[in-house]
Amino acid sequence: MKSELEKRILKCLNNVLSTQVDTLEPERRLREDFGMDSLALVVFQVEIEEEFRFTFDPIEDDFEKIFETCGSLYSYLENKR
């Protein structure tokens, strides 16, 4: 059973990707496994900000680490709540 957080992340991910993703596998890498380039990652970041109603801090937040895998993004968002 998917958590509410997982459903919301999947919604954002599927708004950006050309293929449908049904589950968040923690080890999946956003760039390599989903083929997300820099532009897709920025669009995904905006989707996340709109869905979760906050803004990433470009100074404090390590985007490379946060958006490395599904698991790293999930952990970051779980800790933001």
Side-chain angles (χ1 to χ4, degrees), residues 41-56:
L41 283 169
V42 169
V43 172
F44 185 45
Q45 174 193 333
V46 171
E47 288 281 336
I48 293 288
E49 289 177 337
E50 289 176 356
E51 176 67 24
F52 291 93
R53 302 202 188 307
F54 78 95
T55 303
F56 286 98

Side-chain angles (χ1 to χ4, degrees), residues 1-13:
M1 187 159 152
K2 292 179 193 155
S3 71
E4 188 62 32
L5 179 58
E6 183 178 358
K7 289 177 189 174
R8 292 173 75 188
I9 294 170
L10 281 169
K11 175 184 164 194
C12 295
L13 191 58

Side-chain angles (χ1 to χ4, degrees), residues 5-67:
L5 179 58
E6 183 178 358
K7 289 177 189 174
R8 292 173 75 188
I9 294 170
L10 281 169
K11 175 184 164 194
C12 295
L13 191 58
N14 286 318
N15 284 344
V16 174
L17 298 176
S18 57
T19 58
Q20 189 74 13
V21 178
D22 295 323
T23 58
L24 275 189
E25 298 166 19
E27 69 282 353
R28 300 254 346 236
R29 301 173 79 74
L30 295 171
R31 280 187 183 273
E32 293 85 351
D33 295 337
F34 294 118
M36 295 177 84
D37 60 11
S38 298
L39 180 58
L41 283 169
V42 169
V43 172
F44 185 45
Q45 174 193 333
V46 171
E47 288 281 336
I48 293 288
E49 289 177 337
E50 289 176 356
E51 176 67 24
F52 291 93
R53 302 202 188 307
F54 78 95
T55 303
F56 286 98
D57 183 337
I59 295 169
E60 296 292 320
D61 293 328
D62 184 350
F63 291 105
E64 196 169 317
K65 188 172 187 171
I66 294 167
F67 288 94

